[in-house]
Structures are given as structure tokens and as C-alpha cells.
Short mmCIF file of all heavy atoms in Angstrom, two decimals:
data_model
loop_
_atom_site.label_atom_id
_atom_site.label_comp_id
_atom_site.label_asym_id
_atom_site.label_seq_id
_atom_site.Cartn_x
_atom_site.Cartn_y
_atom_site.Cartn_z
N ILE A 1 87.94 122.17 102.89
CA ILE A 1 87.80 121.42 103.93
C ILE A 1 88.04 122.21 105.19
O ILE A 1 89.22 122.74 105.27
CB ILE A 1 88.71 120.10 103.89
CG1 ILE A 1 88.48 119.37 102.65
CG2 ILE A 1 88.66 119.33 105.11
CD1 ILE A 1 89.46 118.20 102.47
N HIS A 2 87.14 122.38 106.13
CA HIS A 2 87.25 123.25 107.35
C HIS A 2 87.14 122.31 108.47
O HIS A 2 86.16 121.63 108.63
CB HIS A 2 86.25 124.30 107.28
CG HIS A 2 86.47 125.31 106.37
ND1 HIS A 2 87.58 126.13 106.18
CD2 HIS A 2 85.59 125.85 105.30
CE1 HIS A 2 87.47 126.97 105.24
NE2 HIS A 2 86.33 126.73 104.68
N ASN A 3 88.25 122.30 109.38
CA ASN A 3 88.21 121.53 110.47
C ASN A 3 87.83 120.07 110.38
O ASN A 3 87.01 119.47 111.03
CB ASN A 3 87.23 122.14 111.58
CG ASN A 3 87.78 123.46 111.98
OD1 ASN A 3 88.99 123.64 112.18
ND2 ASN A 3 86.93 124.40 112.25
N GLY A 4 88.25 119.55 109.22
CA GLY A 4 88.03 117.90 108.85
C GLY A 4 86.70 117.75 108.39
O GLY A 4 86.28 116.50 108.27
N SER A 5 86.02 118.76 107.86
CA SER A 5 84.68 118.40 107.31
C SER A 5 84.54 119.32 105.97
O SER A 5 85.15 120.28 105.71
CB SER A 5 83.52 118.90 108.28
OG SER A 5 83.51 118.12 109.31
N ILE A 6 83.70 118.84 105.05
CA ILE A 6 83.40 119.37 103.76
C ILE A 6 81.92 119.83 103.76
O ILE A 6 80.97 118.97 104.01
CB ILE A 6 83.60 118.52 102.62
CG1 ILE A 6 85.07 118.01 102.64
CG2 ILE A 6 83.43 119.26 101.25
CD1 ILE A 6 85.39 117.03 101.47
N ALA A 7 81.71 121.09 103.52
CA ALA A 7 80.16 121.57 103.47
C ALA A 7 79.64 121.00 102.18
O ALA A 7 80.18 120.88 101.07
CB ALA A 7 80.19 123.07 103.38
N VAL A 8 78.31 120.54 102.30
CA VAL A 8 77.59 120.06 101.22
C VAL A 8 76.97 121.12 100.46
O VAL A 8 76.31 121.97 101.03
CB VAL A 8 76.56 119.09 101.68
CG1 VAL A 8 75.79 118.38 100.61
CG2 VAL A 8 77.08 118.05 102.53
N PRO A 9 77.13 121.28 99.10
CA PRO A 9 76.50 122.37 98.49
C PRO A 9 74.96 122.41 98.51
O PRO A 9 74.35 121.35 98.55
CB PRO A 9 76.90 122.07 96.89
CG PRO A 9 78.16 121.35 96.93
CD PRO A 9 78.00 120.49 98.32
N SER A 10 74.54 123.65 98.79
CA SER A 10 73.04 123.73 99.00
C SER A 10 72.16 124.12 97.95
O SER A 10 70.92 124.20 98.11
CB SER A 10 72.80 124.74 100.23
OG SER A 10 73.39 125.97 99.82
N ALA A 11 72.74 124.53 96.77
CA ALA A 11 71.97 124.81 95.58
C ALA A 11 71.21 123.67 95.10
O ALA A 11 71.72 122.45 95.33
CB ALA A 11 72.93 125.44 94.58
N PRO A 12 70.16 123.80 94.31
CA PRO A 12 69.46 122.69 93.64
C PRO A 12 70.41 121.77 92.92
O PRO A 12 71.36 122.09 92.23
CB PRO A 12 68.42 123.23 92.83
CG PRO A 12 68.18 124.63 93.43
CD PRO A 12 69.58 125.13 93.84
N GLY A 13 69.97 120.52 92.89
CA GLY A 13 70.76 119.39 92.15
C GLY A 13 72.00 119.09 92.87
O GLY A 13 72.08 119.14 94.21
N LEU A 14 73.09 118.90 92.20
CA LEU A 14 74.50 118.73 92.79
C LEU A 14 74.94 120.01 93.46
O LEU A 14 75.71 119.99 94.31
CB LEU A 14 75.45 118.24 91.71
CG LEU A 14 75.25 116.84 91.20
CD1 LEU A 14 76.17 116.46 90.06
CD2 LEU A 14 75.36 115.79 92.34
N GLY A 15 74.48 121.16 92.93
CA GLY A 15 74.88 122.35 93.48
C GLY A 15 76.27 123.00 93.10
O GLY A 15 76.77 123.93 93.86
N VAL A 16 76.85 122.46 92.09
CA VAL A 16 78.17 122.95 91.68
C VAL A 16 78.09 123.15 90.15
O VAL A 16 77.19 122.58 89.36
CB VAL A 16 79.28 121.91 91.98
CG1 VAL A 16 79.43 121.81 93.45
CG2 VAL A 16 79.02 120.60 91.34
N ARG A 17 79.17 123.85 89.73
CA ARG A 17 79.16 124.19 88.24
C ARG A 17 80.49 123.57 87.58
O ARG A 17 81.60 123.55 88.28
CB ARG A 17 79.38 125.76 88.08
CG ARG A 17 78.03 126.53 88.46
CD ARG A 17 78.29 127.98 88.46
NE ARG A 17 79.26 128.37 89.59
CZ ARG A 17 79.82 129.47 89.66
NH1 ARG A 17 79.51 130.48 88.80
NH2 ARG A 17 80.68 129.81 90.61
N LEU A 18 80.31 122.99 86.45
CA LEU A 18 81.31 122.34 85.60
C LEU A 18 82.28 123.40 85.15
O LEU A 18 81.85 124.30 84.42
CB LEU A 18 80.72 121.40 84.59
CG LEU A 18 81.74 120.71 83.70
CD1 LEU A 18 82.63 119.79 84.42
CD2 LEU A 18 80.95 120.16 82.44
N ASP A 19 83.57 123.22 85.22
CA ASP A 19 84.58 124.05 84.54
C ASP A 19 84.73 123.57 83.27
O ASP A 19 85.61 122.63 82.89
CB ASP A 19 85.78 124.05 85.45
CG ASP A 19 86.81 125.16 84.96
OD1 ASP A 19 86.69 125.52 83.70
OD2 ASP A 19 87.68 125.61 85.75
N ARG A 20 84.17 124.03 82.22
CA ARG A 20 84.25 123.47 80.77
C ARG A 20 85.60 123.71 80.23
O ARG A 20 86.09 122.79 79.46
CB ARG A 20 83.14 124.07 79.92
CG ARG A 20 81.77 123.54 80.31
CD ARG A 20 80.71 124.07 79.25
NE ARG A 20 79.36 123.47 79.53
CZ ARG A 20 79.09 122.12 79.24
NH1 ARG A 20 79.99 121.42 78.52
NH2 ARG A 20 77.96 121.78 79.49
N SER A 21 86.20 124.80 80.56
CA SER A 21 87.54 125.04 79.98
C SER A 21 88.59 124.00 80.56
O SER A 21 89.49 123.51 79.88
CB SER A 21 87.99 126.44 80.23
OG SER A 21 88.07 126.70 81.70
N ALA A 22 88.39 123.64 81.76
CA ALA A 22 89.32 122.69 82.41
C ALA A 22 89.10 121.38 81.83
O ALA A 22 90.00 120.52 81.46
CB ALA A 22 89.21 122.62 83.94
N LEU A 23 87.75 121.01 81.48
CA LEU A 23 87.41 119.68 81.02
C LEU A 23 87.99 119.54 79.61
O LEU A 23 88.56 118.52 79.18
CB LEU A 23 85.86 119.44 81.06
CG LEU A 23 85.36 118.21 80.37
CD1 LEU A 23 85.95 116.96 81.03
CD2 LEU A 23 83.85 118.23 80.39
N GLU A 24 87.85 120.69 78.83
CA GLU A 24 88.50 120.67 77.49
C GLU A 24 89.93 120.46 77.54
O GLU A 24 90.45 119.78 76.73
CB GLU A 24 88.05 121.89 76.75
CG GLU A 24 88.45 121.96 75.36
CD GLU A 24 87.99 123.31 74.58
OE1 GLU A 24 87.12 123.91 75.18
OE2 GLU A 24 88.53 123.57 73.47
N HIS A 25 90.53 121.09 78.39
CA HIS A 25 92.01 121.02 78.57
C HIS A 25 92.56 119.53 78.78
O HIS A 25 93.49 119.10 78.41
CB HIS A 25 92.61 121.93 79.66
CG HIS A 25 94.01 121.88 79.97
ND1 HIS A 25 94.92 122.54 79.08
CD2 HIS A 25 94.74 121.23 80.92
CE1 HIS A 25 96.19 122.33 79.56
NE2 HIS A 25 96.07 121.53 80.62
N TYR A 26 91.75 118.83 79.72
CA TYR A 26 92.05 117.56 80.08
C TYR A 26 91.36 116.39 79.39
O TYR A 26 91.32 115.28 79.74
CB TYR A 26 91.92 117.43 81.53
CG TYR A 26 92.89 118.09 82.40
CD1 TYR A 26 92.54 119.35 83.09
CD2 TYR A 26 94.17 117.77 82.50
CE1 TYR A 26 93.27 120.09 83.90
CE2 TYR A 26 95.05 118.50 83.21
CZ TYR A 26 94.62 119.65 83.99
OH TYR A 26 95.55 120.41 84.75
N THR A 27 90.79 116.84 78.25
CA THR A 27 89.99 115.87 77.47
C THR A 27 90.80 114.68 76.88
O THR A 27 91.89 114.86 76.31
CB THR A 27 89.22 116.50 76.29
OG1 THR A 27 88.22 117.30 76.87
CG2 THR A 27 88.59 115.55 75.28
N LEU A 28 90.34 113.46 77.04
CA LEU A 28 90.89 112.29 76.45
C LEU A 28 90.30 111.97 75.25
O LEU A 28 88.92 112.03 75.11
CB LEU A 28 90.74 111.15 77.58
CG LEU A 28 91.35 109.78 77.30
CD1 LEU A 28 92.93 109.88 77.15
CD2 LEU A 28 91.01 108.72 78.35
#
């Protein structure tokens, strides 16, 4: 967050990558 705003990812789709190791760590 810079100056009260969040930049919107510009890559195709959602534009972000899932952290699979973190998801595995917090799996329910």
C-alpha cells in the first residue's frame, strides 16, 4: 500500500502467484 492506494496487478488473469508452500502449511 503506497500513499493509501494498492496497485492493481497488470499481468494476465489475476496477475498474482499462489504460494503453495504457505497454503500447505495452513491447510485445514
